[in-house]
Amino acid sequence: MNLTQNDVAAQLLAECMPDPVATFEAFAPVNIALCKYWGKRNATLNLPVNDSLSVALAGKGSTTRLTRLPNAGGDEVFLNGTAVDAGSRFHKKVVAHIDLFRATVPGFLRVETRNDVATGAGLASSASGFAALTRALSGLYGLQLDDEQLSILARLGSGSACRSIYNGFVRWHKGVRGDGMDSFARPLPESWPELRLGLLTLTGEAKKTGSREGMQRTVDSAILYGSWPEQARRDIARLEHAIVQRDFTLLGSTAEQNAMAMHATMLASWPPLLYWQPESVQALQKVWQLREDGVQVYATMDAGPNVKLLFERASAGDVYAAFPELELIIPFE
Ligand code: 2P0
């Protein structure tokens, strides 16, 4: 039987006793994957082929305020202070996510979302956006869902959103069940106060091929994708070991190799998929040169042209000197 998103949400919400309030605001952080989510075993429910592991960007993400509109004929959606056109994809995705909850608590809403990062430029604004929306819906309706239930519901909006329910290091367990009730994220207990991330926003332009479509194209057409689950299995084990041991070289090198392997599967797709821009290649080459010069810095990239740097506090001066434009993030502040 092919389950719908509504079937899954109804199952989760069946036990809840709603106690709605008039308005509620929630925040969720952006997350950067060190082992990527790339490929789905179920596209309707966003069930992944592989486990993934991310780190949240503390204090940088989406803030979503929901207000109940007793007399409205539809949902109103605002992004960064501007009304979103009701015919747009963004509006439809937001309404579809609210619809998952509407059977439990009817009525329309005003949705006001602010993103601290560029929307649609490979900086995971959909992850923080759906996580914040899910948290806000649970708060607005007084549903008392736990974090694993929130993670499952956020995943229905966008796979990587299930990781944005938490701060710090987070592992998304892919699960094996057809209904995805075992496919949610959990935080790792470790922190890493010396860890730094550097965001290089090379271009804030929206990309031509969304990650959803890109992922599917890779799974459907790239023979190279066959090796991806094994790559992810190895890398996630290495990353967890690196985190427990605070082994930065192992963490950085594994994250960079994982990102390069994911992009290799994209390039091996048909038609080929390349999110990189000339500026992305220049940044990577600079990273590689810095390492040759003895600076411990590594790079990761998602479904977009922007490059994210990984380093520790001790290298911050050298990294800044090479990339004065970088935006510094301290994930475990
Ligand atoms: C990640 N990405 O792990 C990977 C790396 C992009 C490259 O998760 O279709 O927006 O909504 O489940 O979550 C982006 O994919 O895709 C993503 P959907 P999503 O961060």
Side-chain angles (χ1 to χ4, degrees):
M1 189 178 72
N2 292 329
L3 289 171
T4 65
Q5 291 204 354
N6 272 308
D7 296 333
V8 173
Q11 199 179 319
L12 276 172
L13 301 180
E15 307 285 301
C16 295
M17 305 273 278
D19 185 12
V21 293
T23 181
F24 195 90
E25 185 175 285
F27 170 82
V30 165
N31 75 77
I32 303 289
L34 305 176
C35 176
K36 308 296 185 186
Y37 154 46
W38 197 247
K40 303 182 193 198
R41 62 184 168 88
N42 178 325
T44 305
L45 303 180
N46 294 331
L47 297 176
V49 166
N50 61 283
D51 283 26
S52 54
L53 191 150
S54 61
V55 60
L57 307 190
K60 228 178 176 15
S62 304
T63 304
T64 297
R65 168 165 290 278
L66 299 178
T67 307
R68 303 185 74 204
L69 300 175
N71 304 313
D75 297 313
E76 299 171 2
V77 181
F78 295 83
L79 178 61
N80 296 327
T82 305
V84 176
D85 182 50
S88 70
R89 246 183 73 145
F90 185 88
H91 196 282
K92 287 189 181 131
K93 282 174 78 172
V94 170
V95 170
H97 202 63
I98 300 171
D99 282 343
L100 298 178
F101 294 74
R102 214 161 343 236
T104 306
V105 186
F108 295 110
L109 305 179
R110 178 181 302 131
V111 182
E112 294 164 287
T113 291
R114 291 197 172 271
N115 285 335
D116 303 319
V117 296
T119 303
L123 280 172
S125 56
S126 73
S128 56
F130 277 108
L133 178 59
T134 303
R135 263 199 188 290
L137 285 161
S138 177
L140 183 79
Y141 297 144
L143 298 175
Q144 280 135 22
L145 296 161
D146 66 28
D147 282 347
E148 287 173 6
Q149 293 170 317
L150 289 174
S151 183
I152 291 173
L153 288 162
R155 188 197 77 228
L156 298 175
S158 188
S160 52
C162 76
R163 299 188 309 237
S164 278
I165 292 296
Y166 311 93
N167 281 310
F169 293 117
V170 176
R171 178 172 179 163
W172 176 4
H173 300 266
K174 68 185 177 71
V176 294
R177 288 175 55 146
D179 63 4
M181 289 301 179
D182 56 355
S183 183
F184 51 75
R186 279 200 189 123
L188 305 191
E190 291 82 9
S191 70
W192 195 320
E194 301 292 303
L195 188 66
R196 300 289 181 270
L197 276 118
L199 302 184
L200 298 175
T201 305
L202 304 166
T203 158
E205 261 175 60
K207 57 208 178 190
K208 290 194 186 77
T209 310
S211 54
R212 186 162 293 195
E213 186 189 336
M215 222 180 260
Q216 204 51 49
R217 191 193 299 175
T218 308
V219 173
D220 292 343
S221 68
I223 291 173
L224 193 61
Y225 185 77
S227 64
W228 173 252
E230 180 59 29
Q231 176 90 40
R233 244 192 318 275
R234 187 201 70 168
D235 290 346
I236 216 156
R238 282 188 180 179
L239 287 166
E240 288 205 328
H241 184 74
I243 289 166
V244 170
Q245 299 294 323
R246 285 240 181 123
D247 180 340
F248 179 70
T249 303
L250 184 62
L251 184 92
S253 59
T254 305
E256 185 173 309
Q257 196 182 6
N258 185 270
M260 296 299 116
M262 176 186 70
H263 284 275
T265 69
M266 298 179 191
L267 205 48
S269 304
W270 195 261
L273 188 60
L274 180 64
Y275 286 108
W276 299 11
Q277 291 294 324
E279 295 85 350
S280 324
V281 177
Q282 275 167 16
L284 288 175
Q285 285 173 335
K286 232 154 111 175
V287 167
W288 297 333
Q289 183 61 50
L290 279 171
R291 284 215 297 275
E292 272 187 30
D293 297 342
V295 182
Q296 283 291 302
V297 54
Y298 294 88
T300 185
M301 290 179 71
D302 295 294
N306 295 318
V307 174
K308 294 110 183 180
L309 306 179
L310 292 162
F311 50 98
E312 284 191 295
R313 188 168 70 158
S315 310
D318 289 327
V319 176
Y320 247 123
F323 296 99
E325 73 281 22
L326 78 71
E327 191 178 340
L328 182 74
I329 308 276
I330 306 178
F332 298 92
E333 209 159 11

